[in-house]
Amino acid sequence: MTMSVTTPKQREDAPEGRVEDRRLLTGKGRYVDDLKLEGQAYMGMVRSPYAHAKINSIDFSKARESPDFIASLTGEDLLKEGVQPLSQNPWPFQKRAKRYHLAVGKARFAGEPVAAILVRDKNSVEDLIDLVEVDYDSLPVVTTIEESKQNKAIIYEDWGNNASLTSEVKKGDAEKAIASAAFVIHAREGIARQGAAPIEPHAVLVEYDSKQDSYDVWATVQSVHGTRDKLASELKKPKEKFHVRVMDMGGGFGSKGAQSYPEAPLACIFARRTGLPVKWTATRSEEFLEAASGRDEYCDITLACDKNGRIVAVKASVECDLGVTGSQAHMPTMTIETMPGPYRIPNQDITVAAYVTNKMPIGPVRGAGGPEGCYFIERAVDLLARRAGLDPLEFRRRNVSRREGPAEGEADFRLLLDTLVKSSHYEELSRWRSDLHSKFAQQGPSHSSLIGGLGVSVTGSDESEDEEEGEDWSGASSGGGGADGGSKPWQPGGGSSGGAGERWAGQTPGGSGAAWQSSGDSPERRTWPGASEETLGFMSETARVTLDKEGKVTVYTGSSPHGQGEETTFAQLASEELGVPLKDVTVVWGDTTLIPRGIGTFGSRSAATGGSAVIDASRKLKAQLVVRASEALGVDAKSLDMRGGGFVRASQPDAVLATLNDVLVKQRADEVSASSVFTLSGLSYSSGVHLCALTLDVELGKVKIVKYFVVEDCGRMINKAIVEGQLHGGVLHAVGGALFERLAYDEEGNLLSSTFMDYNIPTALDSPEVQVFHETTPSTVTLDGAKGVGESGTNGAYAAVINALNDALSQLGTGAEVNMVPATPDAVFRALNAKRAKTPAARDSS
Amino acid sequence: MKVNGKQVGGTVEPRTLLVNFIRDDLGLTGTHVGCDTGHCGACTVMVDGRTVKSCMVLAVQARGAEILTVEGLAQGDKLHPIQEAFWKNHGLQCGFCTPGLLMSGLYLLQRNPDPTDEEIRRGIEGNLCRCTGYVNVVKSVRAASKSMRKGGEGGARA
Amino acid sequence: MIPKSFDYYAPASLDEAIRLLGENEEAKVLAGGQSLLPMMKLRLAAPTALVDIAKLPGLSYVRDEGDQLAIGALTTHDSIEHDRTIKDRFTAINDAVVRIGDQQVRNIGTVGGSACHADPAADLPTVLLVLDAQFVIQGREGQRVVPARDFFVDVFATAVGHDEILTEVRLAYPPPRSASAYVKHSLREADFAIAMVGAAVTVGDGNVCRGVRIGLGSAGPTPLRATSAERYLDGKALDDDAIATAAEMAVEGADPPSDVHGSREYRMEMIKVLTRRSLKLAVGRVK
């Protein structure tokens, strides 16, 4: 099936402001914690203070003495009731372990819920939590990959060890190519555990209807459908019994996505048992303790090029700390698939091994492996460029896309780099950098302590098919048992066309979601537990578009915007397709009753999948309407178009022949609608190039970013301001990660960073002015050529910042290097002092 | 106390936070709770004309005060210039930090009608945003400073 | 998120406040609450009663008293930030106060609250030590004055007794050709310091040091004076070399912590850098 990409009309005329803003600006947003039901009770979670401990007993008697105490639940209670363990979505080759809503027998991370209570008064919740007495025997704790590998404690006994999965991307013969390469570098890189940290904490509100045995659930989730399916499967009830809704949500960044958290199902159970509406809102400490966090990946990389600076091989081994086994582990695989970047490296040997530890489970935090992969390769590219004596920009120019021009749908990376140089006034920046260096060199650090650094990164991939060099992508569960895992290596399904065919691995655009691997002829459909054949996969989204007699259009989407602006952009799409004024289009989402099927908003997919579904449904609706108009007006359907809220002859677009209302009334139709379940035939992500200019105070080790540029290519822009906003926010998310953020644990597995005082996300004073420039290469798989853009800022920024930092350090001539992130002042200081004696020539050891 | 010009009252425990009084007792849910330690600023309101984090103030401390929340900015259907500026300049995405930011932005402009970008950033330092990267927030406050100076608009009254 | 229960009093006079404190062993004074409330919300502090003095009249002022400046204990950080005299004559205070928290915190946080909370990582205590502030404490029996070196006793502990209230902070105007500076190094602008140093100098001809005080924060349970460095500088020309030497000596007696925000070793080095910077800044400000 060929997709025709039509040039959208008037794409430059974006609305003055977003549709959703009015209520958000006037305090009329409806976030879950804003909702209040008469007589609602408050749930409190009793959490393990130990990272690893046997649970001997749980005693509610002191708590029960309080008049505010209503009810309690333990893991044993849930087992008795037949509640299924938390839904997970592991790879076939990933070792399995059950995780329970409330720990059974053992707590495996500090903050893991071990009991839940229901309390009358909101102020008393923490008082009563404190009165619940739990007896623990603490066990040895594993908080690092090293400890995990050494089996300091075995977290899931029947695994025999702590290894969860391995995977690899292989192509050609990396070993051989490295041995004969002109220039080779090694590096050890890493990104510490970091959080999504949306400003709105998780929350849920449940009301139970005893007559219907049904649940009305409001929850802070990026997918109401996924949540509904999980509730149904965990509580063993039909899906129709759960009406899951969300309206406004204060950010998610992957932590409110497809993970299974215990609180919504527990609230359902309490609601049913007591007949009371049940509310739970996480405190910020709970948010840090329990919400899925990301990164925590480390990479030993060898990168090699020929004498012309063409990369010939990459060999890397990546290790990931998953925390306890969680809902998803596609970040490790996403990382290694991202790593070759757009460089079409002929010899690749990239492996990843993931381990469990006594920390909260990992999740798809903005970029979900994409930022990690991009960081690992882009940092190495910089090192190799310098080793080869080439400017890092020039080195990249030589390596992006070896063919004559980009493949269809692929960004023109050379153009992006050229635009970057122009738009950033790169020459001026280089002069600024030299000037600072001169001052520093002449006056010494105590008089002029700032040096400048410039760093670039490229994010994106080679979207072209590569038929001669077939990659072999496979994964295996690490040896040893595992209840459901076994040790069978998993191969991509047979029947693949042309050997390389649908291989996303190594060809995956920088961004998340590619872990939803294709196999065989059709994209693999990732489903939630208990899902039927009908359940949609990652590449799909639903839309239904209706038109009523008054000419008002309603778009029902399976997407779930929480800041990305789909309430506006999807209205724009429908408005354009149907020629209806924007003010007459309403977008509805986040309701499993109004919208029975959908996927949700995560992984940069909404503009791509959701947008195409809206366009598809709108076009189907238009086709119906045009037929009706043709009948009503006695005009040939083929000559009609829709404009200005009515029908026009295509040849005379300004003369409205009849309004929508006219036609519907004539046709005696109250409402007309059309639906779409749209599946992309391939992934569709943005590409971009980043440039960071920063100063380093060499005495303090402190970095300040002074300028930041992105040249991005997200295909067709539905709304420029919204695209730029996504880049601004995405970049800053990674800036925080590059310089400030770490979820730090002590040796006992206590989370030290559980407040915004200790987990430092950037404030307005720490953030640079991010300037965004645009190139456009329409996607070949979406209906309007738009590509997902939510994560691309984050994908590229780690590398740009750290490359810039190292560029600054390189001017000191001491061989000091920082490859571990976050590059806090202390870390930079250590690097500055550690390498004082080393000469530049010996720089290739990590 | 007076909230958005209206006299209100209630009986609360001493430990009831002002933000919870505003949200739960008065039903004004535009002011949000984002953290436990007074760092995120999503709860920022004005008490007697000064911005404070209402999660770091006990309701009883605000007895007799005049409070302005985000709900008090617009005049009927007419948005306050700062709200208008945020709307026109895409100064919000998920909207959760926005009410607090509007308060901090307004307070800044009331005292410093023509701030530099650095002063704007310093003025909103106490409001965390994870969505926007602050770029358009600064742009919005800058735009608001222009429109407020033109219109002689001093800002909403409590 | 929600503190443990407590009784709340809003006395109408200082005497009544003192009496209430005397009657409640576990009562605490509440002024701006910007240091106390976060601790109570995390349940790291659980006083059974709060005595709210924020609305007591006559405790918020900045007064020129001829040879000294008197600052009422309830004066907010924001008021201090905008006071001309403080900026001109006690510039280190201005340097410090703009770095306290954020605008919202400065709007209701008070100088008295900050001093009495005595968090070694807070900005004002160090500066008040450097400027040799005098603390006026009101108790049952009347008033007493405690100099800064005796005021900060331990982490979160000062010379203020349980049923006493700090009412005023006094700063003697320094002699001519004096200036002060405070520099802070933190991860983000708004964070608690990784290291902080305040310096106050008085110079004679040829920039010869006629008096110097150097104060370190985040370097022990209380702010401390770098007395070895001070003794070294006394009588010497405050040139780059002397300042550099003093900076090396400044860490004597310093005991900074190791935590997520910085290792001890790193902090010691930062103390040296900041000592140099604050001294240079102070000397540069001398008119």
Side-chain angles (χ1 to χ4, degrees):
Chain A
M1 176 171 61
T2 48
M3 299 293 153
S4 66
V5 178
T6 55
T7 309
K9 305 172 253 259
Q10 301 175 312
R11 194 40 71 74
E12 294 311 307
D13 280 6
E16 204 178 8
R18 296 189 322 175
V19 166
E20 49 270 69
D21 287 357
R22 192 173 182 100
R23 69 173 180 278
L24 299 177
L25 285 167
T26 54
K28 301 278 191 297
R30 279 160 66 79
Y31 301 88
V32 174
D33 191 61
D34 296 344
L35 307 173
K36 198 171 178 188
L37 291 174
E38 186 72 44
Q40 71 188 18
Y42 300 88
M43 188 167 77
M45 305 296 286
V46 179
R47 299 180 183 277
S48 169
Y50 296 104
H52 200 194
K54 270 212 292 270
I55 302 167
N56 297 324
S57 63
I58 304 176
D59 183 356
F60 297 99
S61 49
K62 287 217 176 74
R64 271 189 225 286
E65 287 169 15
S66 162
D68 284 327
F69 179 94
I70 303 173
S72 66
L73 282 171
T74 64
E76 299 292 334
D77 294 335
L78 299 180
L79 283 177
K80 278 199 207 97
E81 228 180 85
V83 172
Q84 295 301 293
L86 287 170
S87 314
Q88 298 182 53
N89 206 2
W91 284 114
F93 51 87
Q94 181 182 345
K95 279 210 210 121
R96 311 294 160 90
K98 294 196 167 80
R99 271 194 57 223
Y100 299 96
H101 301 77
L102 299 171
V104 171
K106 263 196 203 166
R108 290 184 170 86
F109 67 95
E112 181 170 15
V114 304
I117 54 174
L118 195 63
V119 178
R120 249 173 258 286
D121 173 55
K122 182 168 166 170
N123 277 354
S124 309
V125 174
E126 285 158 276
D127 295 340
L128 293 192
I129 289 174
D130 285 346
L131 290 175
V132 177
E133 293 173 315
V134 185
D135 184 50
Y136 300 95
D137 279 332
S138 63
L139 296 167
V141 169
V142 171
T143 58
T144 65
I145 292 172
E146 247 343 278
E147 289 177 348
S148 181
K149 280 155 87 170
Q150 286 163 17
N151 295 332
K152 184 180 167 209
I154 297 199
I155 295 172
Y156 298 105
E157 300 90 336
D158 58 350
W159 286 17
N161 58 37
N162 292 316
S164 168
L165 65 83
T166 64
S167 181
E168 60 187 21
V169 168
K170 280 205 198 304
K171 189 172 167 184
D173 187 341
E175 201 77 50
K176 189 154 155 237
I178 288 167
S180 57
F183 301 103
V184 180
I185 59 98
H186 308 288
R188 176 155 176 82
E189 306 155 328
I191 303 184
R193 183 71 76 110
Q194 296 175 343
I199 308 300
E200 180 206 31
H202 283 70
V204 65
L205 174 62
V206 176
E207 192 171 27
Y208 176 71
D209 181 336
S210 54
K211 278 207 214 67
Q212 305 287 335
D213 185 30
S214 67
Y215 302 82
D216 201 10
V217 178
W218 289 87
T220 52
V221 292
Q222 293 170 236
S223 168
V224 289
H225 301 92
T227 302
R228 173 199 61 192
D229 294 355
K230 278 175 251 186
L231 287 172
S233 129
E234 290 164 26
L235 298 177
K236 283 169 55 184
K237 292 198 183 282
K239 282 186 232 179
E240 302 74 56
K241 294 294 182 186
F242 298 93
H243 183 193
V244 183
R245 287 183 283 178
V246 66
M247 185 168 187
D248 294 309
M249 191 164 89
F253 310 109
S255 74
K256 291 173 179 166
Q259 299 76 38
S260 281
Y261 294 111
E263 288 84 6
L266 289 171
C268 288
I269 296 171
F270 272 133
R272 178 169 48 79
R273 284 192 176 194
T274 64
L276 296 170
V278 174
K279 189 141 185 234
W280 174 79
T281 306
T283 63
R284 178 53 58 179
S285 305
E286 289 185 289
E287 189 72 14
F288 276 119
L289 282 169
E290 189 179 43
S293 54
R295 319 291 179 237
D296 222 348
E297 297 190 7
Y298 308 88
C299 174
D300 284 298
I301 186 168
T302 303
L303 196 65
C305 67
D306 64 20
K307 63 177 177 5
N308 295 314
R310 287 278 186 75
I311 301 172
V312 297
V314 57
K315 182 168 155 69
S317 79
V318 178
E319 290 185 327
C320 306
D321 181 334
L322 299 180
V324 295
T325 199
S327 306
Q328 297 173 306
H330 63 262
M331 288 66 68
T333 48
M334 184 65 203
T335 299
I336 61 174
E337 287 149 30
T338 302
M339 275 175 73
Y343 299 120
R344 299 174 58 76
I345 303 173
N347 300 287
Q348 303 173 13
D349 179 354
I350 310 175
T351 62
V352 65
Y355 300 89
V356 291
T357 60
N358 294 117
K359 297 179 186 170
M360 94 283 276
I362 213 83
V365 173
R366 198 162 192 171
E372 294 91 312
C374 179
Y375 175 66
F376 293 152
I377 192 71
E378 287 297 301
R379 190 64 210 108
V381 162
D382 242 46
L383 287 166
L384 186 58
R386 287 168 201 272
R387 168 54 51 92
L390 285 169
D391 169 73
L393 258 177
E394 174 56 27
F395 186 88
R396 285 172 172 83
R397 219 182 255 113
R398 292 189 190 188
N399 280 285
V400 287
S401 305
R402 296 178 191 211
R403 289 211 199 138
E404 300 264 303
E408 208 201 344
E410 181 189 59
D412 184 345
F413 289 99
R414 286 217 176 96
L415 174 63
L416 294 180
L417 288 169
D418 289 342
T419 305
L420 183 68
V421 166
K422 233 183 12 225
S423 311
S424 66
H425 302 289
Y426 193 76
E427 295 300 308
E428 253 177 61
L429 285 174
S430 298
R431 273 198 299 276
W432 161 83
R433 181 184 173 277
S434 311
D435 287 347
L436 270 180
H437 180 80
S438 305
K439 271 174 71 181
F440 168 80
Q442 284 160 17
Q443 299 175 29
S446 52
H447 290 271
S448 183
S449 58
L450 297 181
I451 41 177
L454 300 176
V456 297
S457 69
V458 178
T459 150
S461 81
D462 173 2
E463 278 187 29
S464 63
E465 296 287 328
D466 188 355
E467 276 162 18
E468 321 98 66
E469 297 141 83
E471 284 110 358
D472 190 5
W473 186 93
S474 65
S477 25
S478 322
D484 304 301
S487 55
K488 251 191 307 202
W490 183 85
Q491 293 290 331
S496 49
S497 50
E502 68 296 328
R503 281 301 134 243
W504 306 123
Q507 298 171 349
T508 306
S512 88
W516 308 88
Q517 289 298 309
S518 64
S519 78
D521 295 321
S522 58
E524 178 179 304
R525 284 167 183 257
R526 265 316 188 71
T527 65
W528 282 268
S532 66
E533 268 307 311
E534 293 176 331
T535 308
L536 309 170
F538 180 80
M539 311 281 280
S540 311
E541 193 49 273
T542 68
R544 184 164 72 94
V545 182
T546 68
L547 174 73
D548 69 15
K549 267 211 308 276
E550 276 78 52
K552 300 276 191 275
V553 173
T554 307
V555 175
Y556 297 88
T557 172
S559 291
S560 195
H562 44 283
Q564 299 88 337
E566 282 85 2
E567 194 173 337
T568 301
T569 53
F570 285 6
Q572 285 179 250
L573 293 176
S575 158
E576 278 162 10
E577 294 295 329
L578 298 172
V580 167
L582 191 64
K583 65 171 176 55
D584 290 339
V585 183
T586 306
V587 178
V588 174
W589 76 91
D591 186 322
T592 55
T593 295
L594 290 178
I595 303 156
R597 301 161 82 199
I599 306 293
T601 292
F602 46 89
S604 303
R605 58 191 306 283
S606 292
T609 58
S612 288
V614 169
I615 293 170
D616 190 41
S618 300
R619 287 180 185 170
K620 286 175 174 159
L621 181 62
K622 180 175 178 177
Q624 285 182 48
L625 289 169
V626 161
V627 163
R628 285 175 181 273
S630 150
E631 286 167 10
L633 300 172
V635 175
D636 180 17
K638 280 207 268 299
S639 69
L640 287 173
D641 198 358
M642 289 177 70
R643 271 286 189 107
F647 297 90
V648 299
R649 276 185 225 275
S651 55
Q652 289 174 283
D654 294 321
V656 175
L657 301 172
T659 64
L660 294 167
N661 174 256
D662 292 338
V663 169
L664 264 69
V665 165
K666 255 204 159 139
Q667 291 265 306
R668 289 198 233 275
D670 286 330
E671 189 189 86
V672 186
S673 79
S675 299
S676 169
V677 177
F678 196 86
T679 303
L680 300 184
S681 63
L683 297 164
S684 173
Y685 291 98
S686 305
S687 301
V689 295
H690 295 228
L691 171 63
C692 173
L694 53 77
T695 57
L696 169 65
D697 183 321
V698 304
E699 293 193 309
L700 302 177
K702 190 167 180 185
V703 166
K704 187 168 170 72
I705 299 176
V706 293
K707 280 183 200 264
Y708 199 100
F709 305 90
V710 184
V711 181
E712 69 81 40
D713 183 340
C714 66
R716 292 262 180 259
M717 286 193 285
I718 306 171
N719 185 312
K720 184 163 180 243
I722 288 179
V723 166
E724 294 184 348
Q726 289 300 305
L727 265 307
H728 299 156
V731 164
L732 193 68
H733 201 132
V735 164
L739 299 176
F740 306 128
E741 297 177 33
R742 176 200 305 275
L743 284 169
Y745 288 82
D746 66 16
E747 321 81 55
E748 303 305 313
N750 293 309
L751 179 62
L752 300 172
S753 339
S754 62
T755 69
F756 275 135
M757 187 160 62
D758 294 313
Y759 187 80
N760 309 111
I761 74 175
T763 68
L765 271 181
D766 310 300
S767 57
E769 192 72 24
V770 177
Q771 297 180 52
V772 184
F773 301 90
H774 306 276
E775 295 294 342
T776 303
T777 309
S779 164
T780 54
V781 300
T782 60
L783 286 181
D784 61 345
K787 299 177 180 175
V789 77
E791 291 159 307
S792 56
T794 310
N795 287 337
Y798 281 93
V801 173
I802 301 299
N803 281 342
L805 168 60
N806 282 286
D807 178 55
L809 289 171
S810 72
Q811 295 167 56
L812 301 173
T814 60
E817 235 175 66
V818 173
N819 293 320
M820 293 300 214
V821 163
T824 60
D826 191 347
V828 175
F829 175 80
R830 266 182 279 126
L832 282 167
N833 288 286
K835 293 286 183 170
R836 212 134 264 176
K838 273 202 147 181
T839 60
R843 234 192 311 151
D844 61 349
S845 52
S846 55
Chain B
M1 63 176 79
K2 257 201 182 147
V3 177
N4 300 330
K6 199 172 113 183
Q7 194 68 35
V8 297
T11 307
V12 296
E13 281 186 80
R15 62 177 172 167
T16 299
L17 307 172
L18 179 61
V19 66
N20 287 335
F21 178 70
I22 289 171
R23 288 175 57 76
D24 301 332
D25 293 65
L26 302 181
L28 295 169
T29 56
T31 305
H32 299 139
V33 176
C35 76
D36 312 332
T37 51
H39 283 91
C40 77
C43 64
T44 304
V45 298
M46 283 204 209
V47 175
D48 292 331
R50 298 177 301 178
T51 46
V52 299
K53 295 175 196 175
S54 59
C55 78
M56 281 297 142
V57 174
L58 304 170
V60 290
Q61 286 178 278
R63 186 159 36 200
E66 293 203 5
I67 297 178
L68 176 68
T69 71
V70 65
E71 289 92 341
L73 286 179
Q75 299 295 315
D77 268 341
K78 189 166 184 293
L79 291 180
H80 187 282
I82 196 167
Q83 291 169 312
E84 190 83 27
F86 270 72
W87 181 62
K88 289 202 171 117
N89 290 279
H90 192 37
L92 62 151
Q93 292 183 23
C94 81
F96 197 76
C97 73
T98 305
L101 260 174
L102 289 171
M103 286 295 144
S104 290
L106 179 59
Y107 181 73
L108 170 74
L109 294 177
Q110 283 172 343
R111 302 207 310 170
N112 184 354
D114 190 10
T116 62
D117 279 5
E118 178 72 16
E119 286 168 338
I120 293 174
R121 288 175 179 275
R122 200 162 274 281
I124 60 174
E125 186 188 6
N127 294 80
L128 294 178
C129 174
R130 199 55 157 166
C131 291
T132 66
Y134 306 101
V135 178
N136 286 342
V137 171
V138 173
K139 196 168 166 214
S140 301
V141 174
R142 208 186 308 133
S145 86
K146 282 203 189 73
S147 66
M148 281 166 67
R149 273 177 287 138
K150 269 208 206 93
E153 179 73 57
R157 322 279 299 293
Chain C
M1 180 62 195
I2 305 286
K4 290 198 178 150
S5 281
F6 53 86
D7 293 322
Y8 171 85
Y9 304 98
S13 71
L14 201 55
D15 287 334
E16 199 193 329
I18 289 167
R19 184 184 55 77
L20 284 164
L21 288 168
E23 288 168 7
N24 283 275
E25 240 178 62
E26 286 177 58
K28 289 217 82 159
V29 171
L30 177 67
Q34 299 304 284
S35 301
L36 181 59
L37 281 176
M39 290 184 70
M40 289 174 67
K41 286 176 63 170
L42 288 175
R43 300 190 166 209
L44 298 171
T48 54
L50 290 183
V51 178
D52 188 351
I53 63 168
K55 296 207 178 79
L56 289 180
L59 286 173
S60 175
Y61 52 84
V62 179
R63 258 200 315 257
D64 181 347
E65 292 186 344
D67 60 344
Q68 68 183 14
L69 194 71
I71 305 174
L74 288 181
T75 310
T76 65
H77 300 310
D78 185 66
S79 300
I80 288 177
E81 183 185 344
H82 290 94
D83 187 274
R84 266 255 74 99
T85 312
I86 292 178
K87 191 163 189 188
D88 287 341
R89 307 193 66 174
F90 300 102
T91 319
I93 292 185
N94 190 273
D95 293 337
V97 86
V98 299
R99 297 294 296 271
I100 295 177
D102 48 55
Q103 186 64 61
Q104 294 94 311
V105 167
R106 295 194 289 275
N107 278 347
I108 58 173
T110 63
V111 62
S114 181
C116 293
H117 187 67
D119 184 340
D123 304 281
L124 273 186
T126 300
V127 170
L128 295 174
L129 178 70
V130 166
L131 294 173
D132 246 356
Q134 305 274 318
F135 294 85
V136 181
I137 302 171
Q138 185 81 24
R140 281 232 159 104
E141 271 86 63
Q143 193 177 279
R144 60 195 183 94
V145 181
V146 174
R149 68 176 169 276
D150 298 328
F151 183 80
F152 300 103
V153 164
D154 204 342
V155 185
F156 302 134
T158 66
V160 179
H162 175 73
D163 56 352
E164 293 182 306
I165 293 179
L166 178 72
T167 56
E168 185 178 276
V169 177
R170 291 177 183 162
L171 297 160
Y173 288 126
R177 304 209 70 209
S178 297
S180 61
Y182 166 83
V183 287
K184 168 178 167 179
H185 169 45
S186 56
L187 183 65
R188 298 172 306 169
E189 289 295 299
D191 286 329
F192 279 119
I194 292 170
M196 61 174 118
V197 178
V201 298
T202 305
V203 302
D205 291 332
N207 262 0
V208 167
C209 176
R210 294 260 169 268
V212 63
R213 292 189 298 277
I214 302 169
L216 315 178
S218 276
T222 66
L224 63 132
R225 293 265 297 269
T227 46
S228 305
E230 291 171 358
R231 277 197 299 271
Y232 169 78
L233 286 174
D234 198 27
K236 293 204 174 60
L238 290 171
D239 58 20
D240 281 351
D241 286 332
I243 288 176
T245 307
E248 289 294 315
M249 297 174 75
V251 289
E252 241 174 84
D255 186 23
S258 255
D259 63 21
V260 290
H261 301 296
S263 67
R264 182 191 161 82
E265 182 210 27
Y266 172 65
R267 291 176 130 121
M268 293 288 261
E269 287 306 308
M270 292 304 101
I271 288 172
K272 295 179 193 171
V273 173
L274 295 190
T275 299
R276 185 165 27 82
R277 291 187 183 189
S278 65
L279 281 168
K280 281 188 73 175
L281 191 54
V283 171
R285 283 174 174 170
V286 171
K287 293 207 246 297

